[in-house]
């Protein structure tokens, strides 16, 4: 099976308001699923937290991975743990955990349903820097999000794709077949 590629541009996304700010869905699987129906297997989004104090939406049955892109968030759980996240730092927790966040930030979210596993890798490149990235052999879906600047990304044996800030590349294949990706920064990313 070959690698299937999809490029989503910032202008393709839909942003909606939530009680703590705005959220933009970047990818959802299966593509026909709906966040509101909670029938997705995994979802990737970015949120802008504009309320100094907010409550995270509870997602029973899902696990969540949250990475701060800009600003700072202090997360406090009803279970008693607390953590401060700065840009590039992340936290993982169960989706049914009551979480209160304090601070203003832009974050990146991965929500994973039962039977799925995943994580976030944060890569910062200097202008002109090139880096090879290879997802684990168990990965079937690899997503690359350009947080700022511009990058070109070339999966093994495939053409190069250019991503601007806010764009996303989604590669799909069976486990062990994604191979490596060559990522080059053209401006600060």
């Amino acid at each position: 099976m070959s690698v299937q590629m999809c490029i989503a541009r910032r202008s393709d996304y839909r942003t909606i308001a939530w009680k703590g700010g705005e959220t933009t869905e970047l990818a959802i699987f299966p593509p026909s699923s709906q966040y509101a129906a909670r029938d997705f297997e995994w979802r990737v989004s970015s949120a802008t937290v504009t309320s100094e104090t907010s409550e995270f939406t509870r997602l029973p049955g899902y696990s969540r991975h949250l990475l701060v892109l800009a600003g700072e968030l202090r997360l406090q759980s009803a279970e008693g743990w607390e953590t401060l996240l700065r840009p590039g730092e992340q936290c993982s927790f169960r989706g049914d955990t009551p979480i209160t966040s304090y601070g203003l930030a832009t974050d990146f979210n991965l929500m994973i349903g039962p039977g799925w596993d995943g994580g976030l890798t944060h890569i910062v490149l200097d202008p002109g820097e090139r880096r090879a990235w290879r997802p684990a052999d168990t990965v079937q879906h690899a997503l690359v999000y350009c947080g700022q600047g511009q990058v070109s990304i070339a999966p093994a044996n495939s053409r190069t794709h250019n991503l601007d800030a806010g764009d996303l590349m989604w590669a799909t294949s069976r486990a062990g077949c994604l191979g490596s990706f060559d990522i080059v920064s053209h401006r600060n990313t």
Side-chain angles (χ1 to χ4, degrees), residues 49-124:
V49 182
T50 58
S51 179
E52 188 65 43
T53 303
S54 62
E55 302 291 326
F56 280 22
T57 302
R58 290 193 204 171
L59 297 168
Y62 290 89
S63 62
R64 296 184 68 169
H65 302 268
L66 182 122
L67 169 77
V68 170
L69 298 174
E72 288 185 353
L73 284 180
R74 182 169 55 92
L75 305 182
Q76 188 174 51
S77 81
E79 297 173 339
W81 59 262
E82 184 174 314
T83 188
L84 176 65
L85 299 175
R86 294 182 174 94
E89 296 177 338
Q90 59 182 291
C91 179
S92 299
F93 50 93
R94 287 189 339 266
D96 62 349
T97 304
I99 302 283
T100 303
S101 75
Y102 302 92
L104 307 176
T106 300
D107 62 35
F108 191 84
N109 301 279
L110 171 61
M111 303 166 190
I112 306 170
W116 287 85
D117 189 23
L120 301 173
T121 301
H122 183 245
I123 299 173
V124 177

Side-chain angles (χ1 to χ4, degrees), residues 21 38 66 88 125 141 151 165 178:
R38 304 296 192 266
L66 182 122
L125 301 175
H141 301 269
V151 297
L178 282 173

Side-chain angles (χ1 to χ4, degrees), residues 27-35 38-44 61-63 110-118 140-141:
I28 193 165
F29 185 81
S32 61
S33 57
Q34 299 290 317
Y35 172 74
R38 304 296 192 266
D39 62 352
F40 61 94
E41 295 183 28
W42 57 260
R43 178 182 187 253
V44 174
Y62 290 89
S63 62
L110 171 61
M111 303 166 190
I112 306 170
W116 287 85
D117 189 23
Q140 297 174 353
H141 301 269

Side-chain angles (χ1 to χ4, degrees), residues 121-174:
T121 301
H122 183 245
I123 299 173
V124 177
L125 301 175
D126 292 325
E129 185 178 355
R130 175 183 303 266
R131 180 150 337 154
W133 173 65
R134 182 179 178 92
D137 284 341
T138 56
V139 170
Q140 297 174 353
H141 301 269
L143 291 83
V144 175
Y145 177 74
C146 181
Q148 62 184 25
Q150 184 182 53
V151 297
S152 61
I153 182 162
N157 303 317
S158 185
R159 70 181 188 89
T160 298
H161 300 277
N162 293 316
L163 303 179
D164 292 318
D167 293 347
L168 177 94
M169 182 217 63
W170 179 356
T172 305
S173 188
R174 69 176 190 267

